Amino acid sequence: MPPPPAIILVEPQLGENIGMSARAMANFSLEDLRIVAPRDGWPSEKAVSASAKATHIIDNAKIFATVKEAIADLQHVYAMTARVRDMIKPVMSPESAVGESVELETGGVRTGFMFGREKSGLTNDDISLCDAIVIAPVNPAFASLNLAQSVLLVGYEWLKCSDNAVLGRKTQFDGPGKEGMPGLSPAPKKDLAGFFEHLETELDKSGFLKPPEKRPAMVRNLRNMFMRMGATDQEVRTLRGIVASLTRKHERH
Amino acid sequence: MPPPPAIILVEPQLGENIGMSARAMANFSLEDLRIVAPRDGWPSEKAVSASAKATHIIDNAKIFATVKEAIADLQHVYAMTARVRDMIKPVMSPESAVGESVELETGGVRTGFMFGREKSGLTNDDISLCDAIVIAPVNPAFASLNLAQSVLLVGYEWLKCSDNAVLGRKTQFDGPGKEGMPGLSPAPKKDLAGFFEHLETELDKSGFLKPPEKRPAMVRNLRNMFMRMGATDQEVRTLRGIVASLTRKHERH
Protein backbone atom coordinates (compact mmCIF):
# COMPACT_ATOMS: atom_id res chain seq x y z
CA MET A 1 0.00 0.00 0.00
CA PRO A 2 1.45 3.39 -0.95
CA PRO A 3 1.58 6.14 1.72
CA PRO A 4 -1.80 7.90 1.98
CA PRO A 5 -2.12 11.50 0.78
CA ALA A 6 -2.06 14.36 3.27
CA ILE A 7 -5.34 16.06 4.21
CA ILE A 8 -5.04 19.84 4.50
CA LEU A 9 -7.86 21.78 6.18
CA VAL A 10 -7.61 25.49 5.46
CA GLU A 11 -8.90 27.74 8.27
CA PRO A 12 -11.58 25.36 9.51
CA GLN A 13 -14.10 27.14 11.70
CA LEU A 14 -15.56 24.42 13.92
CA GLY A 15 -13.66 21.98 16.11
CA GLU A 16 -16.48 19.49 15.51
CA ASN A 17 -15.73 19.45 11.81
CA ILE A 18 -12.03 18.91 12.42
CA GLY A 19 -12.88 16.00 14.73
CA MET A 20 -15.29 14.44 12.27
CA SER A 21 -12.74 14.83 9.50
CA ALA A 22 -10.21 13.01 11.68
CA ARG A 23 -12.73 10.21 12.24
CA ALA A 24 -13.37 9.93 8.51
CA MET A 25 -9.61 9.79 7.91
CA ALA A 26 -9.23 7.00 10.46
CA ASN A 27 -12.09 5.08 8.82
CA PHE A 28 -10.14 4.95 5.59
CA SER A 29 -6.57 4.70 6.89
CA LEU A 30 -5.52 8.25 6.13
CA GLU A 31 -3.02 9.59 8.65
CA ASP A 32 -1.45 12.90 7.79
CA LEU A 33 -3.72 15.75 8.96
CA ARG A 34 -2.54 19.33 8.48
CA ILE A 35 -4.53 22.31 9.68
CA VAL A 36 -4.00 25.87 8.55
CA ALA A 37 -4.93 28.52 11.17
CA PRO A 38 -7.93 26.86 12.84
CA ARG A 39 -10.30 29.70 13.77
CA ASP A 40 -10.96 28.59 17.35
CA GLY A 41 -7.37 27.68 18.18
CA TRP A 42 -5.55 24.47 18.88
CA PRO A 43 -5.70 22.03 20.64
CA SER A 44 -9.49 21.75 20.51
CA GLU A 45 -11.63 19.82 23.00
CA LYS A 46 -14.47 19.78 20.51
CA ALA A 47 -12.25 18.23 17.86
CA VAL A 48 -11.18 15.48 20.23
CA SER A 49 -14.73 14.72 21.27
CA ALA A 50 -16.09 14.67 17.69
CA SER A 51 -13.27 12.42 16.50
CA ALA A 52 -14.89 9.37 18.15
CA LYS A 53 -11.53 8.13 19.42
CA ALA A 54 -9.53 8.92 16.29
CA THR A 55 -7.18 10.62 18.73
CA HIS A 56 -4.07 9.36 16.96
CA ILE A 57 -5.03 11.58 14.02
CA ILE A 58 -5.80 14.58 16.24
CA ASP A 59 -2.66 14.18 18.35
CA ASN A 60 -0.43 13.97 15.30
CA ALA A 61 -2.08 16.82 13.41
CA LYS A 62 0.33 19.54 12.35
CA ILE A 63 -0.70 23.18 12.62
CA PHE A 64 0.49 25.80 10.12
CA ALA A 65 0.04 29.53 9.79
CA THR A 66 -0.28 29.54 6.02
CA VAL A 67 -1.32 27.26 3.16
CA LYS A 68 2.12 27.63 1.63
CA GLU A 69 3.81 26.20 4.70
CA ALA A 70 1.26 23.43 5.06
CA ILE A 71 2.01 22.05 1.61
CA ALA A 72 5.71 22.84 1.52
CA ASP A 73 6.92 19.23 1.36
CA LEU A 74 4.14 17.97 -0.93
CA GLN A 75 4.69 17.48 -4.63
CA HIS A 76 1.18 17.31 -6.06
CA VAL A 77 -1.84 18.91 -4.39
CA TYR A 78 -5.53 18.68 -5.25
CA ALA A 79 -8.04 21.39 -4.30
CA MET A 80 -11.52 20.14 -3.35
CA THR A 81 -14.06 22.72 -4.45
CA ALA A 82 -17.82 22.85 -4.96
CA ARG A 83 -17.67 24.54 -8.33
CA VAL A 84 -15.41 25.12 -11.31
CA ARG A 85 -13.38 28.28 -10.95
CA ASP A 86 -12.35 30.64 -13.65
CA MET A 87 -8.90 29.15 -13.70
CA ILE A 88 -7.01 27.11 -16.20
CA LYS A 89 -6.46 23.97 -14.20
CA PRO A 90 -7.38 20.34 -14.65
CA VAL A 91 -10.80 19.48 -13.19
CA MET A 92 -11.08 15.92 -11.89
CA SER A 93 -13.56 13.69 -10.12
CA PRO A 94 -12.63 12.38 -6.65
CA GLU A 95 -12.22 8.96 -8.19
CA SER A 96 -9.77 9.98 -10.89
CA ALA A 97 -7.85 12.37 -8.65
CA VAL A 98 -7.42 9.72 -5.99
CA GLY A 99 -6.43 7.19 -8.63
CA GLU A 100 -3.74 9.55 -9.84
CA SER A 101 -2.65 10.23 -6.26
CA VAL A 102 -2.22 6.51 -5.62
CA GLU A 103 -0.07 6.21 -8.72
CA LEU A 104 2.02 9.20 -7.75
CA GLU A 105 2.50 8.01 -4.16
CA THR A 106 3.47 4.59 -5.45
CA GLY A 107 6.17 6.34 -7.45
CA GLY A 108 7.38 8.20 -4.36
CA VAL A 109 5.63 11.49 -5.12
CA ARG A 110 4.02 13.04 -2.03
CA THR A 111 0.44 14.22 -2.60
CA GLY A 112 -2.25 16.02 -0.64
CA PHE A 113 -5.91 17.07 -0.79
CA MET A 114 -6.85 20.58 0.32
CA PHE A 115 -10.23 21.52 1.80
CA GLY A 116 -11.60 25.02 2.36
CA ARG A 117 -13.49 26.91 5.07
CA GLU A 118 -16.98 25.68 5.97
CA LYS A 119 -18.63 28.90 4.84
CA SER A 120 -16.59 30.05 1.90
CA GLY A 121 -14.42 27.18 0.69
CA LEU A 122 -10.98 27.77 -0.80
CA THR A 123 -9.96 31.16 -2.12
CA ASN A 124 -8.60 31.54 -5.60
CA ASP A 125 -5.22 32.17 -3.97
CA ASP A 126 -5.39 28.84 -2.16
CA ILE A 127 -6.36 27.08 -5.36
CA SER A 128 -3.60 28.73 -7.30
CA LEU A 129 -1.15 26.73 -5.16
CA CYS A 130 -2.77 23.46 -6.21
CA ASP A 131 -2.18 21.31 -9.26
CA ALA A 132 -5.77 20.34 -9.97
CA ILE A 133 -9.34 21.02 -8.92
CA VAL A 134 -11.47 18.15 -7.65
CA ILE A 135 -15.25 18.37 -7.78
CA ALA A 136 -17.51 15.66 -6.42
CA PRO A 137 -20.58 14.82 -8.48
CA VAL A 138 -23.38 16.39 -6.44
CA ASN A 139 -26.92 17.62 -6.83
CA PRO A 140 -26.40 21.09 -8.37
CA ALA A 141 -29.37 22.35 -6.37
CA PHE A 142 -27.77 21.26 -3.10
CA ALA A 143 -24.06 21.22 -3.77
CA SER A 144 -22.56 22.17 -0.43
CA LEU A 145 -20.89 19.19 1.22
CA ASN A 146 -20.05 19.26 4.90
CA LEU A 147 -16.28 19.49 5.42
CA ALA A 148 -15.95 16.04 6.97
CA GLN A 149 -18.14 14.56 4.22
CA SER A 150 -15.70 15.86 1.59
CA VAL A 151 -12.78 14.37 3.48
CA LEU A 152 -14.71 11.12 3.72
CA LEU A 153 -15.17 10.90 -0.05
CA VAL A 154 -11.43 11.23 -0.61
CA GLY A 155 -10.70 8.63 2.05
CA TYR A 156 -13.30 6.27 0.66
CA GLU A 157 -11.94 6.51 -2.87
CA TRP A 158 -8.42 6.17 -1.54
CA LEU A 159 -9.12 2.94 0.29
CA LYS A 160 -11.00 1.61 -2.74
CA CYS A 161 -8.11 2.49 -5.01
CA SER A 162 -5.04 1.53 -3.06
CA ASP A 163 -3.87 -1.98 -3.44
CA ASN A 164 -4.06 -3.79 -0.15
CA ALA A 165 -6.98 -1.67 0.90
CA VAL A 166 -9.81 -4.13 1.25
CA LEU A 167 -7.59 -7.04 2.16
CA GLY A 168 -9.43 -7.74 5.40
CA ARG A 169 -12.77 -7.67 3.65
CA LYS A 170 -11.85 -8.94 0.27
CA THR A 171 -11.58 -12.53 1.43
CA GLN A 172 -15.24 -12.27 2.38
CA PHE A 173 -16.08 -11.41 -1.21
CA ASP A 174 -14.50 -14.53 -2.63
CA GLY A 175 -17.38 -16.98 -2.52
CA PRO A 176 -19.94 -17.85 -5.14
CA GLY A 177 -22.80 -15.53 -6.00
CA LYS A 178 -22.51 -11.83 -6.75
CA GLU A 179 -19.64 -10.93 -4.50
CA GLY A 180 -19.97 -13.99 -2.42
CA MET A 181 -22.08 -15.32 0.37
CA PRO A 182 -19.79 -16.08 3.26
CA GLY A 183 -20.03 -19.64 4.41
CA LEU A 184 -22.27 -20.72 1.57
CA SER A 185 -21.53 -24.16 0.25
CA PRO A 186 -24.44 -25.18 -1.94
CA ALA A 187 -25.91 -28.60 -1.27
CA PRO A 188 -25.14 -31.44 -3.67
CA LYS A 189 -27.81 -31.70 -6.34
CA LYS A 190 -28.85 -35.11 -5.07
CA ASP A 191 -29.98 -33.54 -1.80
CA LEU A 192 -32.11 -31.08 -3.71
CA ALA A 193 -33.57 -33.87 -5.83
CA GLY A 194 -34.51 -35.67 -2.61
CA PHE A 195 -36.25 -32.56 -1.32
CA PHE A 196 -38.14 -32.05 -4.59
CA GLU A 197 -39.36 -35.64 -4.53
CA HIS A 198 -40.49 -35.26 -0.95
CA LEU A 199 -42.27 -31.95 -1.58
CA GLU A 200 -43.92 -33.05 -4.81
CA THR A 201 -45.14 -36.33 -3.31
CA GLU A 202 -46.81 -34.45 -0.50
CA LEU A 203 -48.26 -31.86 -2.86
CA ASP A 204 -49.66 -34.65 -5.05
CA LYS A 205 -51.34 -36.13 -1.98
CA SER A 206 -52.76 -32.78 -0.90
CA GLY A 207 -54.10 -32.04 -4.36
CA PHE A 208 -51.99 -28.94 -4.96
CA LEU A 209 -50.48 -30.07 -8.28
CA LYS A 210 -53.71 -30.11 -10.24
CA PRO A 211 -54.99 -30.32 -12.95
CA PRO A 212 -52.69 -33.04 -14.32
CA GLU A 213 -52.00 -31.23 -17.60
CA LYS A 214 -50.57 -28.31 -15.65
CA ARG A 215 -48.48 -30.42 -13.30
CA PRO A 216 -45.22 -30.43 -15.33
CA ALA A 217 -45.09 -26.63 -15.58
CA MET A 218 -46.04 -26.20 -11.93
CA VAL A 219 -43.28 -28.58 -10.84
CA ARG A 220 -40.73 -26.74 -13.00
CA ASN A 221 -41.74 -23.41 -11.50
CA LEU A 222 -41.44 -24.79 -7.98
CA ARG A 223 -38.02 -26.22 -8.66
CA ASN A 224 -36.82 -22.97 -10.23
CA MET A 225 -37.89 -21.04 -7.17
CA PHE A 226 -36.10 -23.32 -4.76
CA MET A 227 -33.02 -23.60 -6.97
CA ARG A 228 -32.60 -19.84 -6.77
CA MET A 229 -32.36 -20.14 -3.02
CA GLY A 230 -28.90 -21.72 -3.40
CA ALA A 231 -29.51 -23.74 -0.25
CA THR A 232 -26.75 -25.44 1.74
CA ASP A 233 -27.15 -29.09 2.69
CA GLN A 234 -28.21 -28.05 6.20
CA GLU A 235 -30.86 -25.80 4.70
CA VAL A 236 -32.16 -28.56 2.47
CA ARG A 237 -32.60 -30.67 5.59
CA THR A 238 -34.50 -27.76 7.14
CA LEU A 239 -36.78 -27.57 4.11
CA ARG A 240 -37.51 -31.28 4.35
CA GLY A 241 -38.16 -30.81 8.06
CA ILE A 242 -40.70 -28.10 7.28
CA VAL A 243 -42.57 -30.27 4.80
CA ALA A 244 -42.56 -33.21 7.21
CA SER A 245 -43.71 -31.02 10.09
CA LEU A 246 -46.52 -29.35 8.18
CA THR A 247 -47.88 -32.65 6.85
CA ARG A 248 -47.52 -34.52 10.14
CA LYS A 249 -49.28 -31.86 12.11
CA HIS A 250 -52.81 -33.01 11.43
CA GLU A 251 -51.95 -36.65 11.65
CA ARG A 252 -51.48 -36.15 15.37
CA HIS A 253 -54.83 -34.48 15.83
CA MET B 1 -32.20 9.02 -14.22
CA PRO B 2 -34.01 6.19 -12.38
CA PRO B 3 -35.84 6.94 -9.11
CA PRO B 4 -33.39 7.01 -6.18
CA PRO B 5 -33.51 4.25 -3.56
CA ALA B 6 -35.22 4.81 -0.20
CA ILE B 7 -33.04 5.47 2.85
CA ILE B 8 -34.30 3.70 5.98
CA LEU B 9 -32.85 4.76 9.34
CA VAL B 10 -33.67 2.21 12.03
CA GLU B 11 -34.11 3.70 15.52
CA PRO B 12 -31.61 6.56 15.08
CA GLN B 13 -30.61 8.01 18.43
CA LEU B 14 -29.55 11.58 17.64
CA GLY B 15 -31.55 14.21 15.77
CA GLU B 16 -28.21 15.63 14.57
CA ASN B 17 -27.44 12.42 12.74
CA ILE B 18 -30.86 12.36 11.10
CA GLY B 19 -30.33 15.94 9.97
CA MET B 20 -26.86 15.24 8.61
CA SER B 21 -28.16 12.16 6.83
CA ALA B 22 -30.84 14.33 5.22
CA ARG B 23 -28.18 16.80 4.12
CA ALA B 24 -26.10 13.98 2.62
CA MET B 25 -29.20 12.72 0.81
CA ALA B 26 -29.88 16.17 -0.63
CA ASN B 27 -26.26 16.46 -1.76
CA PHE B 28 -26.70 13.41 -3.94
CA SER B 29 -30.34 13.78 -5.00
CA LEU B 30 -31.78 11.08 -2.76
CA GLU B 31 -35.32 11.92 -1.62
CA ASP B 32 -37.16 9.14 0.18
CA LEU B 33 -36.23 9.19 3.89
CA ARG B 34 -37.93 6.70 6.18
CA ILE B 35 -37.30 6.63 9.92
CA VAL B 36 -38.18 3.75 12.21
CA ALA B 37 -38.94 4.79 15.81
CA PRO B 38 -36.51 7.72 16.26
CA ARG B 39 -35.38 7.57 19.90
CA ASP B 40 -35.93 11.25 20.70
CA GLY B 41 -39.26 11.57 18.91
CA TRP B 42 -40.40 13.42 15.83
CA PRO B 43 -40.39 16.15 14.59
CA SER B 44 -36.90 17.03 15.75
CA GLU B 45 -35.52 20.55 16.00
CA LYS B 46 -32.00 19.16 16.05
CA ALA B 47 -32.59 17.26 12.83
CA VAL B 48 -33.85 20.39 11.09
CA SER B 49 -30.90 22.44 12.27
CA ALA B 50 -28.30 19.81 11.30
CA SER B 51 -29.84 19.32 7.85
CA ALA B 52 -28.33 22.62 6.66
CA LYS B 53 -31.54 23.55 4.83
CA ALA B 54 -32.28 20.09 3.45
CA THR B 55 -35.73 20.70 4.92
CA HIS B 56 -37.54 19.16 1.96
CA ILE B 57 -36.04 15.82 2.98
CA ILE B 58 -36.89 16.30 6.66
CA ASP B 59 -40.42 17.54 5.97
CA ASN B 60 -41.19 14.62 3.70
CA ALA B 61 -39.62 11.96 5.94
CA LYS B 62 -42.01 9.15 6.83
CA ILE B 63 -42.03 7.74 10.36
CA PHE B 64 -42.76 4.07 11.05
CA ALA B 65 -43.12 2.00 14.19
CA THR B 66 -41.39 -1.09 12.79
CA VAL B 67 -38.86 -2.06 10.16
CA LYS B 68 -41.46 -4.30 8.56
CA GLU B 69 -43.78 -1.39 7.93
CA ALA B 70 -40.99 0.87 6.72
CA ILE B 71 -40.04 -1.50 3.90
CA ALA B 72 -43.52 -2.86 3.14
CA ASP B 73 -43.68 -1.45 -0.40
CA LEU B 74 -40.01 -2.02 -1.28
CA GLN B 75 -38.92 -4.97 -3.39
CA HIS B 76 -35.18 -5.23 -2.80
CA VAL B 77 -33.52 -3.96 0.37
CA TYR B 78 -29.83 -3.68 1.27
CA ALA B 79 -28.56 -3.72 4.87
CA MET B 80 -25.53 -1.50 5.57
CA THR B 81 -23.44 -3.19 8.26
CA ALA B 82 -19.94 -2.82 9.64
CA ARG B 83 -19.15 -6.51 9.60
CA VAL B 84 -20.10 -9.80 8.00
CA ARG B 85 -22.81 -11.56 9.99
CA ASP B 86 -23.23 -15.22 10.50
CA MET B 87 -25.95 -15.31 7.89
CA ILE B 88 -26.14 -16.73 4.43
CA LYS B 89 -26.75 -13.61 2.40
CA PRO B 90 -24.92 -11.89 -0.44
CA VAL B 91 -22.21 -9.49 0.75
CA MET B 92 -21.65 -6.52 -1.54
CA SER B 93 -19.59 -3.36 -1.71
CA PRO B 94 -21.46 -0.02 -1.74
CA GLU B 95 -20.43 0.39 -5.36
CA SER B 96 -21.82 -2.90 -6.59
CA ALA B 97 -24.95 -2.74 -4.42
CA VAL B 98 -25.74 0.74 -5.70
CA GLY B 99 -25.01 -0.38 -9.25
CA GLU B 100 -27.49 -3.19 -8.85
CA SER B 101 -30.01 -0.83 -7.24
CA VAL B 102 -29.76 1.54 -10.22
CA GLU B 103 -30.39 -1.36 -12.58
CA LEU B 104 -33.34 -2.57 -10.54
CA GLU B 105 -34.88 0.90 -10.24
CA THR B 106 -34.43 1.38 -13.97
CA GLY B 107 -36.49 -1.78 -14.41
CA GLY B 108 -39.21 -0.48 -12.06
CA VAL B 109 -38.15 -2.44 -8.97
CA ARG B 110 -38.31 -0.34 -5.77
CA THR B 111 -35.13 -0.57 -3.65
CA GLY B 112 -33.91 0.74 -0.32
CA PHE B 113 -30.82 0.93 1.89
CA MET B 114 -31.25 0.25 5.61
CA PHE B 115 -28.99 1.78 8.30
CA GLY B 116 -28.84 0.76 11.96
CA ARG B 117 -28.62 2.49 15.32
CA GLU B 118 -25.55 4.64 16.00
CA LYS B 119 -24.39 2.46 18.88
CA SER B 120 -25.35 -1.03 17.85
CA GLY B 121 -26.18 -1.06 14.14
CA LEU B 122 -28.80 -3.39 12.70
CA THR B 123 -29.99 -6.47 14.58
CA ASN B 124 -29.94 -9.87 12.99
CA ASP B 125 -33.73 -9.66 12.87
CA ASP B 126 -33.53 -6.42 10.88
CA ILE B 127 -31.03 -7.97 8.51
CA SER B 128 -33.08 -11.11 8.01
CA LEU B 129 -35.67 -8.90 6.25
CA CYS B 130 -33.07 -7.65 3.77
CA ASP B 131 -31.86 -9.16 0.53
CA ALA B 132 -28.17 -8.40 0.81
CA ILE B 133 -25.54 -7.05 3.19
CA VAL B 134 -23.45 -4.04 2.17
CA ILE B 135 -20.07 -3.40 3.76
CA ALA B 136 -17.92 -0.39 2.93
CA PRO B 137 -14.21 -1.03 2.56
CA VAL B 138 -12.82 0.52 5.73
CA ASN B 139 -9.79 0.43 7.97
CA PRO B 140 -10.43 -2.74 10.01
CA ALA B 141 -8.83 -1.06 13.04
CA PHE B 142 -11.30 1.84 12.83
CA ALA B 143 -14.35 0.46 11.10
CA SER B 144 -17.20 2.40 12.68
CA LEU B 145 -18.65 4.92 10.24
CA ASN B 146 -20.84 7.74 11.46
CA LEU B 147 -24.48 7.21 10.41
CA ALA B 148 -24.58 10.19 8.04
CA GLN B 149 -21.23 9.16 6.55
CA SER B 150 -22.68 5.76 5.63
CA VAL B 151 -25.68 7.42 4.03
CA LEU B 152 -23.30 9.73 2.19
CA LEU B 153 -21.39 6.83 0.65
CA VAL B 154 -24.59 5.34 -0.73
CA GLY B 155 -25.67 8.72 -2.10
CA TYR B 156 -22.26 9.37 -3.62
CA GLU B 157 -22.16 6.02 -5.36
CA TRP B 158 -25.74 6.48 -6.47
CA LEU B 159 -25.12 9.82 -8.16
CA LYS B 160 -21.92 8.45 -9.75
CA CYS B 161 -23.70 5.40 -11.01
CA SER B 162 -26.93 6.98 -12.20
CA ASP B 163 -24.97 9.74 -13.94
CA ASN B 164 -23.08 7.06 -15.77
CA ALA B 165 -26.36 5.40 -16.64
CA VAL B 166 -27.66 8.64 -18.08
CA LEU B 167 -24.53 9.10 -20.15
CA GLY B 168 -24.96 5.64 -21.56
CA ARG B 169 -21.66 4.40 -20.18
CA LYS B 170 -23.37 1.47 -18.51
CA THR B 171 -24.38 -1.50 -20.54
CA GLN B 172 -28.08 -1.77 -21.17
CA PHE B 173 -29.67 -3.76 -18.41
CA ASP B 174 -31.57 -6.77 -19.56
CA GLY B 175 -34.68 -6.74 -17.42
CA PRO B 176 -35.26 -5.98 -13.77
CA GLY B 177 -34.18 -9.28 -12.22
CA LYS B 178 -30.77 -10.32 -11.01
CA GLU B 179 -28.50 -12.81 -12.70
CA GLY B 180 -30.25 -12.53 -16.04
CA MET B 181 -33.68 -13.53 -14.87
CA PRO B 182 -35.82 -11.72 -17.39
CA GLY B 183 -39.21 -10.64 -16.12
CA LEU B 184 -38.51 -11.19 -12.46
CA SER B 185 -40.06 -8.42 -10.41
CA PRO B 186 -39.58 -9.19 -6.72
CA ALA B 187 -42.66 -9.14 -4.49
CA PRO B 188 -43.25 -6.18 -2.16
CA LYS B 189 -41.86 -6.91 1.31
CA LYS B 190 -45.35 -6.87 2.84
CA ASP B 191 -46.24 -9.95 0.76
CA LEU B 192 -43.18 -11.72 2.11
CA ALA B 193 -44.04 -10.63 5.63
CA GLY B 194 -47.47 -12.17 5.13
CA PHE B 195 -45.93 -15.43 3.96
CA PHE B 196 -43.52 -15.52 6.91
CA GLU B 197 -46.37 -14.99 9.35
CA HIS B 198 -48.37 -17.74 7.70
CA LEU B 199 -45.48 -20.20 7.62
CA GLU B 200 -44.33 -19.46 11.16
CA THR B 201 -47.85 -19.75 12.57
CA GLU B 202 -48.23 -23.18 11.01
CA LEU B 203 -44.78 -24.26 12.14
CA ASP B 204 -45.60 -23.13 15.68
CA LYS B 205 -48.74 -25.25 15.59
CA SER B 206 -46.87 -28.24 14.23
CA GLY B 207 -44.15 -27.95 16.85
CA PHE B 208 -41.31 -27.36 14.38
CA LEU B 209 -40.05 -24.15 16.00
CA LYS B 210 -38.94 -25.71 19.27
CA PRO B 211 -37.43 -25.39 21.82
CA PRO B 212 -38.59 -21.79 22.50
CA GLU B 213 -35.08 -20.48 23.18
CA LYS B 214 -34.04 -21.54 19.69
CA ARG B 215 -37.10 -20.11 17.96
CA PRO B 216 -35.69 -16.62 17.17
CA ALA B 217 -32.60 -18.02 15.43
CA MET B 218 -34.64 -20.65 13.59
CA VAL B 219 -37.05 -17.99 12.34
CA ARG B 220 -34.18 -15.78 11.17
CA ASN B 221 -32.60 -18.67 9.31
CA LEU B 222 -35.89 -19.51 7.61
CA ARG B 223 -36.42 -15.91 6.56
CA ASN B 224 -32.90 -15.62 5.25
CA MET B 225 -33.39 -18.73 3.12
CA PHE B 226 -36.62 -17.52 1.59
CA MET B 227 -35.35 -13.96 1.14
CA ARG B 228 -32.60 -15.32 -1.06
CA MET B 229 -35.19 -16.80 -3.36
CA GLY B 230 -36.06 -13.29 -4.59
CA ALA B 231 -39.63 -14.44 -5.15
CA THR B 232 -42.12 -12.56 -7.31
CA ASP B 233 -45.57 -11.79 -5.91
CA GLN B 234 -46.98 -14.72 -7.90
CA GLU B 235 -44.35 -16.99 -6.36
CA VAL B 236 -45.11 -15.75 -2.87
CA ARG B 237 -48.75 -16.71 -3.50
CA THR B 238 -47.51 -20.13 -4.60
CA LEU B 239 -45.51 -20.51 -1.40
CA ARG B 240 -48.56 -19.64 0.68
CA GLY B 241 -50.57 -22.10 -1.40
CA ILE B 242 -48.05 -24.82 -0.62
CA VAL B 243 -48.21 -24.17 3.12
CA ALA B 244 -52.00 -24.06 3.04
CA SER B 245 -52.18 -27.21 0.98
CA LEU B 246 -49.76 -29.19 3.14
CA THR B 247 -51.52 -28.21 6.36
CA ARG B 248 -55.03 -28.74 4.98
CA LYS B 249 -54.23 -32.14 3.56
CA HIS B 250 -54.90 -34.18 6.64
CA GLU B 251 -57.86 -32.14 7.69
CA ARG B 252 -59.76 -33.68 4.80
CA HIS B 253 -58.89 -37.23 5.78
Side-chain angles (χ1 to χ4, degrees):
Chain A
M1 191 143 64
I7 297 295
I8 306 115
L9 307 183
V10 179
E11 297 181 11
Q13 296 161 261
L14 299 174
E16 287 89 339
N17 284 331
I18 301 173
M20 289 174 59
S21 297
R23 177 180 181 175
M25 288 176 66
N27 284 142
F28 298 103
S29 302
L30 303 183
E31 289 159 10
D32 184 356
L33 175 60
R34 304 170 180 210
I35 311 175
V36 178
R39 188 192 63 182
D40 295 341
W42 197 258
S44 158
E45 273 308 313
K46 284 179 178 168
V48 171
S49 132
S51 75
K53 296 184 184 150
T55 41
H56 58 294
I57 307 280
I58 298 282
D59 291 346
N60 294 324
K62 295 188 251 345
I63 309 296
F64 298 88
T66 64
V67 167
K68 202 173 77 173
E69 291 165 274
I71 63 174
D73 61 317
L74 301 180
Q75 295 164 281
H76 201 86
V77 180
Y78 303 89
M80 286 287 285
T81 72
R83 60 185 198 284
V84 178
R85 309 295 181 108
D86 188 17
M87 274 187 258
I88 301 174
K89 224 177 250 299
V91 176
M92 310 179 81
S93 68
E95 189 176 17
S96 59
V98 168
E100 185 183 74
S101 158
V102 168
E103 281 174 21
L104 291 170
E105 292 279 359
T106 303
V109 176
R110 289 289 291 131
T111 67
F113 286 79
M114 188 186 291
F115 301 80
R117 302 144 192 90
E118 288 92 330
K119 276 266 177 341
S120 53
L122 293 169
T123 65
N124 286 348
D125 282 338
D126 300 330
I127 296 175
S128 70
L129 299 175
C130 298
D131 298 274
I133 287 173
V134 180
I135 301 183
V138 287
N139 175 2
F142 202 91
S144 159
L145 282 173
N146 164 273
L147 176 58
Q149 306 278 50
S150 301
V151 172
L152 182 90
L153 293 186
V154 169
Y156 172 68
E157 289 289 3
W158 185 78
L159 203 58
K160 267 172 77 174
C161 252
S162 55
D163 258 353
N164 303 333
V166 275
L167 202 61
R169 306 283 185 198
K170 213 162 200 168
T171 48
Q172 309 286 0
F173 296 163
D174 274 351
K178 297 171 195 169
E179 273 163 64
M181 300 196 209
L184 176 64
S185 176
K189 295 306 178 204
K190 67 176 185 323
D191 292 7
L192 272 161
F195 164 65
F196 289 145
E197 236 168 74
H198 185 178
L199 176 65
E200 289 153 19
T201 302
E202 292 299 339
L203 289 178
D204 275 331
K205 284 197 226 164
S206 71
F208 186 78
L209 296 174
K210 283 182 180 173
E213 66 271 21
K214 289 205 177 160
R215 189 183 185 281
M218 291 173 83
V219 164
R220 271 198 305 276
N221 289 344
L222 283 184
R223 292 181 178 185
N224 280 333
M225 282 167 59
F226 282 99
M227 290 301 290
R228 290 207 312 268
M229 197 182 261
T232 65
D233 51 359
Q234 173 57 52
E235 289 177 330
V236 172
R237 283 196 293 277
T238 299
L239 288 172
R240 295 194 66 155
I242 288 174
V243 173
S245 180
L246 292 177
T247 52
R248 247 198 330 267
K249 172 187 145 199
H250 297 278
E251 284 167 7
R252 283 199 221 99
H253 287 185
Chain B
M1 198 138 70
I7 297 296
I8 306 116
L9 307 183
V10 179
E11 295 180 13
Q13 297 161 261
L14 300 174
E16 287 88 341
N17 284 331
I18 301 174
M20 288 175 59
S21 297
R23 176 180 182 175
M25 288 176 67
N27 284 142
F28 297 103
S29 303
L30 303 183
E31 288 159 11
D32 183 357
L33 175 59
R34 303 169 181 212
I35 312 175
V36 179
R39 188 192 63 183
D40 295 342
W42 196 259
S44 158
E45 271 309 311
K46 286 179 176 167
V48 171
S49 130
S51 75
K53 297 184 186 153
T55 41
H56 59 294
I57 307 280
I58 298 282
D59 291 345
N60 294 325
K62 296 187 249 351
I63 308 296
F64 298 89
T66 64
V67 167
K68 203 172 77 174
E69 292 164 272
I71 64 173
D73 61 315
L74 300 179
Q75 295 164 283
H76 201 86
V77 180
Y78 302 90
M80 285 288 285
T81 73
R83 58 183 201 284
V84 176
R85 307 297 180 106
D86 190 16
M87 272 189 254
I88 300 173
K89 228 177 244 301
V91 177
M92 310 179 80
S93 66
E95 188 176 17
S96 59
V98 169
E100 186 184 74
S101 158
V102 167
E103 289 175 3
L104 290 170
E105 292 279 358
T106 303
V109 175
R110 288 293 289 130
T111 67
F113 285 80
M114 188 185 291
F115 300 80
R117 301 143 192 90
E118 286 93 330
K119 276 266 174 347
S120 54
L122 292 170
T123 66
N124 285 346
D125 282 335
D126 299 332
I127 295 175
S128 72
L129 298 174
C130 297
D131 298 274
I133 287 172
V134 180
I135 301 182
V138 287
N139 174 4
F142 203 90
S144 159
L145 282 173
N146 165 271
L147 176 57
Q149 307 278 49
S150 301
V151 172
L152 182 91
L153 292 186
V154 169
Y156 171 68
E157 288 288 5
W158 186 78
L159 203 60
K160 267 172 76 172
C161 202
S162 53
D163 264 359
N164 285 353
V166 164
L167 294 174
R169 268 180 265 158
K170 279 193 78 77
T171 47
Q172 180 67 37
F173 183 66
D174 197 10
K178 291 180 289 187
E179 294 150 13
M181 292 189 273
L184 175 64
S185 178
K189 295 306 181 201
K190 66 175 182 310
D191 293 7
L192 273 160
F195 164 64
F196 288 147
E197 243 166 66
H198 184 176
L199 176 65
E200 289 152 20
T201 301
E202 292 299 340
L203 289 177
D204 275 329
K205 284 196 225 163
S206 72
F208 185 78
L209 296 174
K210 286 186 181 170
E213 65 270 22
K214 289 207 176 157
R215 189 183 185 283
M218 291 173 83
V219 164
R220 273 198 302 273
N221 289 342
L222 284 183
R223 291 181 178 185
N224 279 331
M225 284 167 60
F226 282 99
M227 289 300 292
R228 291 207 313 268
M229 196 182 261
T232 64
D233 50 359
Q234 173 57 51
E235 289 176 330
V236 172
R237 284 195 293 276
T238 299
L239 288 172
R240 295 194 66 154
I242 289 175
V243 173
S245 179
L246 292 177
T247 51
R248 249 198 329 266
K249 172 188 145 195
H250 296 279
E251 285 166 6
R252 283 201 218 98
H253 287 184

